[in-house]
Amino acid sequence: MAKMQTVTILTPVNGDVIPLKVVKDPVFSAGMMGLGFGVQPSDGQIVAPVTGKITMIAETKHAFGFTTPDNNLEVLVHLGIDTVDLKGAPFTVNVKTGDEVQAGDVIATMDLSAIEAANRQTTVVLAVTNSSDKLDSLDVTEGTAQAGQVVASGRLNANTFNAKRQGKLPQAGKYDQLATDIIENVGGVENINSLIHCITRLRFYLKDESKANDDVIANMKGVIDVAKAGGQYQVVIGPAVTDVYDAVIKQIGPELSNDSETAKAVAETAAAANKPTTAWGKVKYGFSSLIGVITGSMIPVIGLLAASGILKGVLALLTTFHVVATTDSTYVIISAMGDSVFYFLPIFVGFTAGKKLGADPVIMGIIGGVLTYPTLITMASGKTLSTFMGMAINGSFFGLPVHMASYTYSIFPMIAGAWLASKLEPWLKRVIPTVLRMIFVPLFEVVIISGAIILFLGPIITVLSTGLANAIVAIYNLSPAISGLIIGGFYQVLVIFGLHWAVIPIVANDIATTGHSYLNAIVSATMVAQGGAVLAIALKSKLANIQELAWPATISAFAGVTEPAMYGINLKYGRAFVTASIGAAVGGFLTGLMRVNMWGFTGSLIGFTSFVNPKGLDFSFWGFWIASIATIIVSFTLTWMFGFKDEDVQAVKTAPKKRHLGQTA
């Protein structure tokens, strides 16, 4: 077996060689630009790290690109961190694009003192930008080294090695000249704030669009057209957009890239290719997209929710059979273990929704912390100062009356907040100078998003849920059976959007004033239905990852916590949520028809003792079991037959990854 060829790379400057992972630039340290290393320079003389052609010199002289002739390695040397803003002042270049150089040749000098005086880091970074295609590994020798000394060696992968032996190496740097021409005609590096791309277009954020030469760019070979939209200067490339983007970033520097916004733009334009044109199609598409965001935001915490649901069920059994009392410290400790993930759910959902929608996840987590701040939670349940449109006014903000809602257990406000942040954040980054972004982007984002949720979104949800609650009471008074059918079928939909919270006070008031609640009995049937549906999936699926989630979700749903079943399985695969809702409608109908009553809060199967009349066992207990068994049979059977198949899992996995390269959006 032939031995794979080893390539060697020199250090481009005197100094201390350091691992790439400790370089203080996330683009390089995370390996986004490829394998490599950093150097803390002791002087400013820069040499070529490899023998080859200079394929790129950044307009601001802070970066050089090399291509080796024997194996087409593409090597980037980046002088300093965030030095693009210095517009070339600290650098002197001795070569030009197209020159052939030998490893060790002096190519430039950098003024270290000038860079430090500008409050920039002098670290020189070397990255093999096509290492993912070319190299199996790159071993770096750390420590003090002289410019031109071999400090790294890499092993060519089998494809590159064999292609070289056969004389079939692919062309390197194919888009470098196009990238150079585009940069020059959008006004140069100094006119670029940042660059992202979608599936067909380079999307520049320019400081002054009037400096761009539209006609010249549109007529370049490799460019389809030029467009301007949403504050972006868009260069339409087509299927090769990612290659051209990489070539441009290599020249202007990774500090002008934005990976999260690029990923978001790619996802949006890929989805737009499937966007329907009919009114009903648009409604279905919008709802499907919303469900995708909701389930995607919840998936990372589903396991925790399932575990907490099971723990809450165990605690319910312990209190039901008087093993522990609600006043015991044991109860308080176990309750904290079971409730914490729900109490602080906005923090977790804020983080995951931020990642899903392209907002800063840490900032969104902090906003979730604002909504669950203990003083605000106390305000939400505190004294009512006045009422407005059925809302309790329980606070003020600079004299403005405020309805403070409780956001524990809620997810929709945080998802809406993450969507708003995904729109606000790029704008803030464009208008706030780079040196101020670290402080002022989080400051404005936390204030604006938190304020929008507390002052606007929360009250809107409260008004809607209060109206729904009044309608539910009216329907129940008209006909318990019909109300059971309607509430059973749609209650878990209300849970998704946080509109169910107005129902909880009605249940609490019923139990406080009469000692029982017919309405809570119907809600209990919806929990059983979610459990019956996910039980069918647990038994039917042959996929280990589905079974691993479905079984705990089943236990959790029957223990009264439906979030793992709903967000982790049923809602994610669509039809299963519908079949579960049909089962819930049947269970709700029977519960209302038989006038099943409930004397406690804990529902689902774990809460069977809540259906025991304290004055003596009556038909409510047996009615609960009849309705629950019927609910399980209907939801289980419909889900088994129509609600789920293993092929749905693969369909959900591949749907977000579709790329329609012919789309010119």
Side-chain angles (χ1 to χ4, degrees):
M1 181 176 178
K3 183 179 180 181
M4 295 296 99
Q5 180 182 342
T6 299
V7 296
T8 57
I9 300 175
L10 317 182
T11 178
V13 66
N14 292 333
D16 292 327
V17 178
I18 59 176
L20 195 61
K21 65 182 180 182
V22 303
V23 170
K24 295 181 179 179
D25 183 293
V27 175
F28 285 115
S29 62
M32 296 179 187
M33 297 300 289
L35 301 175
F37 56 87
V39 185
Q40 299 290 6
S42 55
D43 64 43
Q45 182 169 279
I46 309 299
V47 305
V50 292
T51 295
K53 179 186 287 188
I54 296 179
T55 53
M56 180 277 296
I57 301 175
E59 188 174 340
T60 50
K61 306 176 186 177
H62 73 289
F64 298 80
F66 305 83
T67 300
T68 60
D70 55 343
N71 45 43
N72 286 348
L73 282 186
E74 296 178 3
V75 179
L76 173 69
V77 174
H78 195 279
L79 308 181
I81 304 297
D82 291 334
T83 49
V84 66
D85 295 335
L86 305 182
K87 300 181 180 179
F91 309 110
T92 302
V93 179
N94 304 331
V95 291
K96 62 182 183 297
T97 301
D99 284 356
E100 301 281 351
V101 295
Q102 297 295 312
D105 287 351
V106 177
I107 59 170
T109 57
M110 58 188 295
D111 187 338
L112 302 184
S113 59
I115 295 173
E116 291 170 345
N119 199 28
R120 300 293 192 275
Q121 297 181 54
T122 59
T123 308
V124 175
V125 185
L126 180 144
V128 182
T129 57
N130 61 347
S131 55
S132 61
D133 296 327
K134 298 288 184 178
L135 300 178
D136 282 335
S137 62
L138 184 69
D139 298 319
V140 177
T141 302
E142 300 171 27
T144 303
Q146 298 297 311
Q149 179 180 334
V150 175
V151 296
S153 60
R155 190 177 67 179
L156 289 176
N157 62 33
N159 290 337
T160 302
F161 179 71
N162 291 330
K164 179 183 175 183
R165 292 178 64 195
Q166 297 167 15
K168 296 179 180 178
L169 280 174
Q171 182 180 355
K174 179 178 179 181
Y175 298 102
D176 288 339
Q177 188 58 51
L178 176 59
T180 300
D181 294 341
I182 291 174
I183 293 167
E184 178 184 350
N185 285 281
V186 296
V189 177
E190 67 273 10
N191 194 39
I192 302 173
N193 271 328
S194 63
L195 171 65
I196 65 174
H197 74 84
C198 57
I199 59 174
T200 59
R201 304 181 183 204
L202 299 177
R203 299 187 177 198
F204 289 92
Y205 290 99
L206 300 180
K207 297 174 183 176
D208 184 356
E209 284 191 1
S210 66
K211 292 183 178 180
N213 299 316
D214 299 356
D215 293 337
V216 174
I217 297 174
N219 289 311
M220 290 178 184
K221 184 178 180 180
V223 173
I224 298 172
D225 200 0
V226 168
K228 300 174 185 179
Q232 300 170 343
Y233 188 88
Q234 302 179 0
V235 181
V236 185
I237 301 296
V241 65
T242 54
D243 296 318
V244 179
Y245 172 83
D246 290 341
V248 173
I249 288 297
K250 189 168 65 174
Q251 297 188 32
I252 66 176
E255 58 268 32
L256 296 184
S257 65
N258 188 327
D259 293 321
S260 63
E261 283 298 300
T262 291
K264 180 181 173 184
V266 169
E268 286 177 349
T269 51
N274 279 336
K275 199 167 184 178
T277 56
T278 65
W280 175 241
K282 290 179 179 179
V283 171
K284 289 174 61 180
Y285 173 82
F287 186 74
S288 176
S289 299
L290 175 61
I291 296 303
V293 171
I294 292 173
T295 56
S297 300
M298 291 297 291
I299 285 297
V301 295
I302 287 298
L304 279 171
L305 294 174
S308 297
I310 293 171
L311 189 57
K312 286 165 71 70
V314 171
L315 186 61
L317 287 175
L318 293 177
T319 54
T320 295
F321 294 103
H322 307 293
V323 177
V324 296
T326 56
T327 55
D328 292 348
S329 57
T330 301
Y331 175 89
V332 174
I333 293 172
I334 297 176
S335 181
M337 294 175 183
D339 270 343
S340 61
V341 67
F342 295 97
Y343 190 90
F344 298 109
L345 192 58
I347 297 176
F348 307 132
V349 174
F351 186 89
T352 56
K355 293 181 68 176
K356 179 78 175 176
L357 292 169
D360 188 312
V362 174
I363 294 176
M364 288 309 304
I366 295 299
I367 292 170
V370 172
L371 300 185
T372 55
Y373 194 72
T375 308
L376 296 187
I377 298 298
T378 301
M379 184 188 298
S381 59
K383 182 180 178 181
T384 299
L385 305 177
S386 61
T387 58
F388 176 73
M389 295 181 66
M391 292 186 299
I393 304 301
N394 44 22
S396 64
F397 185 72
F398 288 108
L400 180 68
V402 172
H403 166 74
M404 179 57 64
S406 176
Y407 295 98
T408 58
Y409 282 71
S410 63
I411 65 167
F412 188 69
M414 289 309 304
I415 291 174
W419 175 83
L420 182 59
S422 72
K423 306 299 181 184
L424 175 65
E425 202 171 290
W427 181 80
L428 289 174
K429 289 180 178 179
R430 288 199 299 273
V431 300
I432 296 176
T434 304
V435 294
L436 301 177
R437 287 178 190 169
M438 180 178 293
I439 296 175
F440 287 98
V441 169
L443 171 64
F444 287 124
E445 201 167 335
V446 169
V447 171
I448 294 172
I449 304 301
S450 299
I453 294 174
I454 292 172
L455 299 178
F456 300 104
L457 183 60
I460 289 172
I461 290 177
T462 299
V463 169
L464 291 174
S465 57
T466 300
L468 284 168
N470 292 335
I472 287 171
V473 171
I475 295 172
Y476 190 87
N477 291 334
L478 178 66
S479 170
I482 293 176
S483 67
L485 181 73
I486 296 173
I487 296 169
F490 293 99
Y491 183 79
Q492 294 296 332
V493 176
L494 301 183
V495 172
I496 296 173
F497 298 102
L499 297 175
H500 66 300
W501 282 110
V503 177
I504 306 302
I506 298 175
V507 172
N509 182 69
D510 286 346
I511 293 177
T513 57
T514 68
H516 55 78
S517 173
Y518 291 105
L519 181 58
N520 205 28
I522 296 172
V523 172
S524 175
T526 70
M527 301 175 183
V528 174
Q530 292 291 327
V534 78
L535 174 62
I537 294 172
L539 291 171
K540 182 178 182 180
S541 179
K542 300 296 189 295
L543 301 176
N545 60 321
I546 295 297
Q547 292 180 347
E548 183 180 356
L549 184 57
W551 281 113
T554 301
I555 298 171
S556 179
F558 288 149
V561 177
T562 59
E563 281 85 353
M566 188 162 64
Y567 296 120
I569 299 287
N570 298 345
L571 190 61
K572 186 176 181 180
Y573 300 111
R575 296 191 311 278
F577 185 77
V578 174
T579 54
S581 296
I582 294 172
V586 171
F589 174 79
L590 292 174
T591 300
L593 182 66
M594 294 184 292
R595 303 283 298 195
V596 174
N597 209 346
M598 188 172 177
W599 285 266
F601 276 105
T602 304
S604 195
L605 299 186
I606 199 79
F608 67 94
T609 56
S610 296
F611 295 85
V612 176
N613 189 335
K615 296 179 180 179
L617 194 66
D618 61 17
F619 186 74
S620 284
F621 181 77
W622 305 112
F624 157 74
W625 284 112
I626 293 170
S628 295
I629 292 171
T631 299
I632 293 174
I633 291 173
V634 173
S635 59
F636 182 98
T637 303
L638 290 178
T639 304
W640 184 283
M641 295 177 63
F642 310 110
F644 177 85
K645 55 182 184 295
D646 282 341
E647 289 81 356
D648 295 338
V649 178
Q650 186 61 33
V652 169
K653 285 182 178 180
T654 58
K657 300 178 181 178
K658 292 178 181 176
R659 294 291 181 264
H660 299 268
L661 298 179
Q663 174 77 7
T664 57

